[in-house]
Amino acid sequence: MMLRGVILCLLIALCLLVALAAGEQWINPFDAGGQDAVILWDLRLPRLLIAFAVGGLLALAGAWFQVLLGNPLAEPYVLGVAGSASVGAVTGLMFVPESAWVMSVGAFIGAWIGITVVMIFARLGPGRMLLAGVVLAAFWAALLALLLALLPEQGLYRAFSWMMGDLSHSDIPVPFLLAAWGVAVLCGMMLSRSLDLLLLGERHAEALGVEVKQLRQRLLLLASVVTAIAVTAAGTIGFVGLVVPHLMRMLFGSLHKAVLPASAIGGGLLLMLADTAARTVIAPSELPVGVLTAIIGVPVFLFLLVRRT
Amino acid sequence: MNPLMQISQLSLQRGSKQILNDVSFAIRPGEITVILGTNGAGKSSLLLALAGLIPAGGTLLLHDTPVNSFSRVELASQIAWQGELPPTEFGLTVHQRLQLADQHGDIESAAERMDIVPLLNRVLGELSSGERQRVELAALILRDAPIWLLDEPTTHLDLKHQTRCLNMMKEQAANGRAIVTVLHDLQQAAAIARQVALLDGSGGAEIGTADEMLTIEKLSQLFDTPLIKQGKVWAPDYGEVNYESTR
């Protein structure tokens, strides 16, 4: 465990350096001056930090949703939350086309509504709940298609770039995002023992002293706020929340004392690397990072599904 | 001896159906109470109600204090419940499962008692139902609660481990633990019970000492099945298969 922790720390440092250096032009972070320094510290670093915080938040939310629903294949995006957030964002864009801020608020409200609706169906039990999530995702997609059809042409580009995940800027300030990451990790650690007990099922957890109803409410609130912040900051980026906690469980075991911080860091690294690839592969143009995470995430999801059965 | 738990006029509902009505008995330290009954008679539900895990009517006193006035943590320190096997989706290992029962307990010795030391590093999902049941029993041993509530603890177990499980329960009772357990096997019930509760499925429960309850009249009537004497106790008459007639 200790060795794996050291390896993870070295990996973070390496990823940070590579992500800083790579781009349309390769810049040595230890020897950058003039315009290179501006590119490095004013453009790339904030973007990296956004990617790190958003990736970590998404992975944490994924880990929480999985315990909340008793299903390791649950994730806000699989449950239709990306769809509801997009509907919220595009609705905002429709009414106040010139304001990025209104779009973000719309996304936040949309994400919140999506999660609340999913949780209403959570009472049906994990299996049916996932099914409800799939149907809800289809509903939000239909609603989104309707809104996009009605959206004026100049709004379409912005809507699409947001829907595919956009880390180039964030309407939420970077220090706030990093603070949210830290607070989320801390909250998760405080709940880690109760979360572990919940892995045994609600009855066992209650019998072992967990106030399950209260814990579920807290978790839901945490997962919703964290998802909403991530979606508001960077648009819809799927599958980080699914894949990362899974990988971390494989590496560090199932107990949350290890899984949560590892997911927060691992999710950050994955999104940082994905974003570096997205802005490097076809430079000077950029690939949407949400598209990349989905291209990686969908096969991994299917692999996990097959492996589980 | 003073009862640890006093149950008076307990009633339980499942949906619109009244499954238990006016059930009263006491749970005392050092005594094993066996619950016998037909399918759906409310045996598991009775255990859940005693554990404070589902709501019930009537009065349930733990140390002379109503059960619902205890917090979850306080109840967990007094009552250990073993029920359905926990889910295996999240890849917990046997060792981690035992750690969740008690972080500071002697996992090695509990594992030894239930013969699962070689399984400690295996993932729960890879184990058979019998092995998982033994893991649950080891988890129970780690709990230092004065009351144990066990729902069919010998289910899935082979003969060796059924015996080990019953012996372990007898030892625990001898050390002062109060045990309430649901069983289906009449011989096992007769081997360990001090007190027996018979649930007939109509909501009523007849409770008395093992000698009073484990009689051919009561048991054959309860299970609506003819019984024959087998050793010290009554068992169903399965008859014999006549393979000759199939040739």
Side-chain angles (χ1 to χ4, degrees):
Chain A
M1 188 73 89
M2 184 74 182
L3 180 73
R4 287 175 193 171
V6 173
I7 292 174
L8 199 62
C9 287
L10 286 175
L11 255 179
I12 299 173
L14 189 70
C15 288
L16 252 173
L17 280 177
V18 171
L20 264 179
E24 192 186 340
Q25 58 186 112
W26 187 268
I27 301 172
N28 180 356
F30 299 108
D31 182 28
Q35 204 189 345
D36 281 354
V38 174
I39 292 175
L40 215 56
W41 308 120
D42 293 349
L43 295 176
R44 285 187 192 169
L45 184 66
R47 182 170 176 152
L48 276 183
L49 295 176
I50 295 172
F52 183 80
V54 167
L57 289 174
L58 289 174
L60 276 177
W64 287 330
F65 268 106
Q66 287 160 15
V67 185
L68 202 57
L69 302 175
N71 193 325
L73 296 180
E75 193 228 15
Y77 290 82
V78 177
L79 300 172
V81 178
S84 67
S86 301
V87 168
V90 175
T91 308
L93 194 64
M94 233 171 159
F95 288 108
V96 194
E98 62 283 353
S99 167
W101 188 80
V102 171
M103 192 175 165
S104 295
V105 171
F108 190 92
I109 295 171
W112 194 283
I113 291 173
I115 290 167
T116 310
V117 174
V118 163
M119 290 323 290
I120 291 171
F121 290 98
R123 289 182 201 142
L124 299 176
R128 282 204 243 171
M129 147 89 272
L130 267 185
L131 195 63
V134 171
V135 174
L136 281 171
F139 171 77
W140 295 120
L143 211 56
L144 186 65
L146 178 72
L147 288 173
L148 288 175
L150 298 174
L151 198 68
E153 210 171 301
Q154 62 271 29
L156 277 178
Y157 175 76
R158 280 199 54 208
F160 275 117
S161 88
W162 184 88
M163 278 158 50
M164 289 186 285
D166 182 9
L167 292 161
S168 60
H169 70 283
S170 159
D171 294 321
I172 300 177
V174 176
F176 178 85
L177 275 178
L178 291 172
W181 181 93
V183 171
V185 174
L186 270 182
C187 290
M189 293 302 281
M190 279 160 66
L191 295 175
S192 67
R193 168 93 183 148
S194 303
L195 287 170
D196 290 341
L197 294 174
L198 207 49
L199 295 181
L200 300 173
E202 286 195 9
R203 280 259 160 81
H204 283 280
E206 274 193 312
L208 287 162
V210 178
E211 300 279 359
V212 169
K213 204 174 161 196
Q214 198 185 58
L215 175 68
R216 287 181 72 93
Q217 282 168 352
R218 284 181 187 171
L219 262 187
L220 175 61
L221 184 71
L222 263 177
S224 326
V225 171
V226 159
T227 307
I229 291 175
V231 167
T232 308
T236 62
I237 297 169
F239 297 97
V240 176
L242 173 78
V243 175
V244 174
H246 242 289
L247 287 176
M248 295 307 141
R249 281 193 199 103
M250 283 160 75
L251 283 173
F252 297 98
S254 301
L255 299 183
H256 288 90
K257 200 172 55 182
V259 169
L260 292 179
S263 294
I265 294 169
L269 289 185
L270 180 74
L271 196 56
M272 220 161 73
L273 289 180
D275 184 52
T276 306
R279 64 185 165 78
T280 312
V281 173
I282 53 163
S285 296
E286 282 188 19
L287 282 172
V289 68
V291 171
L292 255 190
T293 59
I295 287 173
I296 303 166
V298 172
V300 175
F301 178 88
L302 293 174
F303 169 73
L304 295 173
L305 200 67
V306 172
R307 195 166 155 258
R308 216 180 139 212
T309 48
Chain B
M1 199 173 291
N2 280 343
L4 284 174
M5 217 175 184
Q6 185 74 53
I7 297 104
S8 314
Q9 296 176 311
L10 178 132
S11 62
L12 269 180
Q13 268 191 304
R14 189 186 294 141
S16 59
K17 193 189 165 203
Q18 187 85 22
I19 49 169
L20 284 179
N21 203 6
D22 199 14
V23 177
S24 302
F25 64 105
I27 299 171
R28 292 187 176 80
E31 279 188 15
I32 299 180
T33 303
V34 172
I35 303 172
L36 293 171
T38 51
N39 292 146
K43 302 181 294 295
S44 303
S45 302
L46 176 57
L47 281 192
L48 290 172
L50 295 182
L53 294 171
I54 58 170
T59 318
L60 268 168
L61 298 177
L62 175 63
H63 303 299
D64 298 324
T65 309
V67 162
N68 51 19
S69 62
F70 288 90
S71 72
R72 278 264 147 249
V73 176
E74 287 167 341
L75 271 186
S77 70
Q78 295 297 312
I79 302 174
W81 169 81
Q82 171 266 320
E84 71 251 26
L85 295 173
T88 56
E89 278 89 349
F90 285 91
L92 279 175
T93 64
V94 172
H95 194 274
Q96 287 170 337
R97 163 66 190 100
L98 296 180
Q99 264 185 322
L100 294 182
D102 183 3
Q103 282 170 300
H104 312 294
D106 185 354
I107 288 175
E108 281 287 327
S109 102
E112 220 164 275
R113 294 290 301 279
M114 279 299 124
D115 209 8
I116 53 165
V117 175
L119 308 179
L120 278 175
N121 292 318
R122 299 264 301 276
V123 173
L124 287 177
E126 295 171 0
L127 307 183
S128 73
S129 304
E131 288 170 326
R132 284 172 62 198
Q133 183 75 353
R134 274 150 54 200
V135 173
E136 289 312 297
L137 290 169
L140 194 74
I141 292 172
L142 286 165
R143 303 286 307 281
D144 197 23
I147 301 172
W148 277 9
L149 306 174
L150 290 81
D151 198 352
E152 302 185 29
T154 52
T155 310
H156 308 300
L157 298 184
D158 58 31
L159 211 52
K160 172 184 167 186
H161 294 104
Q162 285 180 27
T163 315
R164 206 177 257 230
C165 169
L166 293 178
N167 286 337
M168 183 269 286
M169 285 161 71
K170 281 198 279 190
E171 269 171 44
Q172 294 287 339
N175 290 334
R177 189 112 42 200
I179 299 178
V180 182
T181 178
V182 171
L183 289 176
H184 279 296
D185 187 310
L186 299 179
Q187 283 192 325
Q188 292 179 358
I192 60 169
R194 171 81 175 258
Q195 178 172 246
V196 173
L198 303 179
L199 311 190
D200 62 7
S202 69
E206 203 176 344
I207 294 153
T209 64
D211 289 342
E212 290 166 354
M213 294 292 116
L214 299 177
T215 64
I216 185 164
E217 294 80 19
K218 285 190 192 296
L219 294 174
S220 55
Q221 193 188 346
L222 176 73
F223 293 108
D224 193 19
T225 303
L227 300 174
I228 53 168
K229 185 112 181 172
Q230 205 173 73
K232 287 186 196 164
V233 76
W234 306 99
D237 182 4
Y238 296 122
E240 282 174 31
V241 181
N242 182 4
Y243 286 110
E244 292 302 320
S245 66
T246 58
R247 279 189 190 150

